Amino acid sequence: MEFVFLAAAAFLAGVIDAVAGGGGLVQVPALFSTYPNMSPATLIGTTKVASLAGTANAATRYARKVRIYWGATAPAMLAAFVMAMAGAWTLTKIPAEPLRKALPLVLLVLLIYTVAKKNLGAEHAPTLTGTRERVAALLAGAVIGFYDGAFGPGTGSFLMIVFVRVFGYDFLHASASAKVVNLATNLAALLLLASKGHIWWQLGLIMAAANVAGSQVGSKLALRHGSAFVRKVFIAVVSALILKTAYDAFLR
């Protein structure tokens, strides 16, 4: 029954992640509540198997329909890969509790900003070029990549708002680039945690299949309904994540 429950959670995470990011806030708590005595590094590592599969599927589907702007996406992807590996190594050494407590506060700021800026992400109008674009992408990729390796939930949402706010993308193009960068962070963390023996492969592969199925549904919805739909789902997901992460961090 535990595997059935976790497969259902992975499916839902795949749908959410493909549209607006934040699927980790479904998968990670589901695993932690089901196996409370297992090493956090092993639980996070197992979610990376599912997340990698789902994100790869979503990134492929987006790439077929939406132009990927590699000027910002490629440097962010490179920095995110390196720093996600560093973050995953850190996870094996220190507790993730401080990050868990800070997450709802950061998400709240992100939500307020997105709601206040009603036209944010409505139009695709890239604002940075050349060296400024590459530097901003490297910095953003490094910070978010480290976070994803060390903890992870909400990474897709953070990446989306960076591509919207910093680089001027609309929500659909931001979602496409976010998936590519998130693919790099998931792969890096998976490689590091697997090398340390922190993967439960049997469960991870079951969740991966469910996550891919959810990702198919989510990416199809996003591509069909466009940026306005992605923005609405993004706001709904971040609102739910604030409540869930605040409860987990301060009330549970």
Side-chain angles (χ1 to χ4, degrees), residues 59-86:
T60 301
R61 289 179 66 87
Y62 274 106
R64 290 173 182 164
K65 301 288 186 179
V66 179
R67 178 183 173 186
I68 305 292
Y69 287 79
W70 293 105
T73 306
M77 188 178 181
L78 176 62
F81 182 89
V82 174
M83 293 306 293
M85 195 166 283

Side-chain angles (χ1 to χ4, degrees), residues 86-109:
W89 178 85
T90 303
L91 173 64
T92 66
K93 303 296 181 182
I94 63 171
E97 188 67 18
L99 285 173
R100 196 159 65 92
K101 289 188 179 297
L103 184 58
L105 303 177
V106 175
L107 286 168
L108 180 60
V109 172

Side-chain angles (χ1 to χ4, degrees), residues 15-22 62 156-157 160 175 179 230 233-235 237:
V15 175
I16 294 170
D17 233 2
V19 179
Y62 274 106
S157 299
M160 279 187 64
S175 186
K179 296 298 168 291
V230 176
V233 175
F234 178 81
I235 290 172
V237 168

